[in-house]
Amino acid sequence: MRILGVTGLLMLLSCASDGGASSGGSSSSGASSSGAASGSSSGGSKGPVSGSENGYQYAFAPASVGLDCNDTAAAALARGAPKVTVGGSTIVVGYQQVSGNDQDPIVARYDGAQKVFCEHSKKGGGIDGRAYGVTWDGADHLYVVYTIFGGGTAFDAAAKGGWVTSYGDGGASSKVAVVGALDPKTGVVTRATFVPSKKTGNKTNTLVPADALHVLADGSLEFFGSPAWCTLNPDKSIMCDATTNPSKDYPKEYRARFSPDLSAMTCASATGVSIVKQPCP
């Protein structure tokens, strides 16, 4: 058994926490983006962003905004939540406080003043879930980035064919990202993948979205995230050198590309890590 010094032990404890990533760590593979939002740095949003590219509108806020499905269109759109408008249709995302410890991620569509749907995406009680970003082409392709604090929700069924199919072993204490493809007529999540980071021992750790999903010219889906500790390669191995020098690697600026159906990750990059197997160009 290897005995860690005080510095290494403290770093391991810090890495395993659910807080934001440190600014430390060496750079192995840059996370520059070919499709980052205006106002982003290295693919990670520093604040609310919105824009358009490749026929898609997108919007994102780093803090999810409270919504209420009883709102009128005017009230909902005035709350300041991320929203995209195409023609006379607007889709807005955030969360609704259901009970003291239960937040439901909300996706709502309004055609003019008419509410088309207001969908509680996770459909599972007692678990904190929120929506942060929305991407839509105004037709059949709608994507939302979420966070969730555990399994046992509708995301599990939607992610059965996804790159990561479940929340994993995190004790419902870590906040992980979910990328969802939704039916724009109903707001129901039809396909999804979980996007976690990992602690040592393959324990699920926090990773939150840092931008809206970006759809590239070839149809690939580009995700940006902010991890608490070790980000994953496409083969789901960790990017951190956790064996020989656990105090060295501390990832940030995670960027990954998914196939259009979210079943596979095709590349992934981060700064501050040693083992990047398939970096994104």
Side-chain angles (χ1 to χ4, degrees):
M1 177 182 295
R2 182 169 53 87
I3 304 300
L4 293 176
V6 172
T7 300
L9 179 59
L10 289 175
M11 193 63 185
L12 271 178
L13 292 173
S14 174
C15 290
S17 74
D18 294 331
S22 162
S23 60
S26 60
S27 176
S28 171
S29 176
S32 61
S33 169
S34 60
S38 173
S40 297
S41 173
S42 300
S45 171
K46 305 304 180 185
V49 294
S50 62
S52 63
E53 62 186 355
N54 298 322
Y56 285 81
Q57 303 290 323
Y58 60 84
F60 172 83
S64 188
V65 175
L67 298 173
D68 190 323
C69 281
N70 293 317
D71 279 345
T72 64
L77 302 183
R79 286 179 177 264
K83 62 181 183 289
V84 295
T85 300
V86 181
S89 299
T90 299
I91 295 179
V92 59
V93 302
Y95 73 95
Q96 183 163 345
Q97 192 75 34
V98 178
S99 65
N101 295 312
D102 187 5
Q103 294 80 26
D104 275 1
I106 295 296
V107 180
R109 175 175 173 171
Y110 300 91
D111 287 358
Q114 179 68 37
K115 183 190 299 178
V116 178
F117 60 75
C118 188
E119 176 71 10
H120 288 236
S121 301
K122 70 179 174 66
K123 292 184 172 65
I127 296 172
D128 185 341
R130 304 176 190 232
Y132 296 78
V134 55
T135 306
W136 189 36
D137 66 354
D140 296 332
H141 299 94
L142 171 63
Y143 304 97
V144 175
V145 289
Y146 304 89
T147 59
I148 194 75
F149 262 106
T153 71
F155 290 134
D156 294 11
K160 280 185 177 178
W163 171 66
V164 171
T165 59
S166 68
Y167 173 85
D169 183 7
S173 62
S174 296
K175 182 189 300 185
V176 307
V178 176
V179 178
L182 286 69
D183 182 341
K185 297 180 179 65
T186 65
V188 172
V189 181
T190 58
R191 300 187 310 279
T193 184
F194 291 84
V195 189
S197 65
K198 293 289 185 179
K199 305 174 187 177
T200 54
N202 202 39
K203 297 286 188 178
T204 297
N205 203 10
T206 292
L207 188 149
V208 299
D211 205 334
L213 195 72
H214 288 260
V215 183
L216 306 186
D218 65 358
S220 297
L221 307 176
E222 192 158 60
F223 169 85
F224 301 96
S226 178
W229 197 44
C230 203
T231 45
L232 300 183
N233 286 297
D235 66 0
K236 303 173 192 171
S237 63
I238 62 172
M239 291 180 169
C240 300
D241 181 2
T243 302
T244 61
N245 193 356
S247 66
K248 172 186 173 184
D249 285 359
Y250 213 119
K252 54 184 178 176
E253 297 176 341
Y254 186 54
R255 178 168 64 102
R257 291 183 186 170
F258 293 96
S259 59
D261 64 358
L262 296 171
S263 65
M265 181 185 283
T266 59
C267 67
S269 300
T271 59
V273 291
S274 299
I275 310 169
V276 177
K277 294 183 176 180
Q278 295 172 251
C280 293

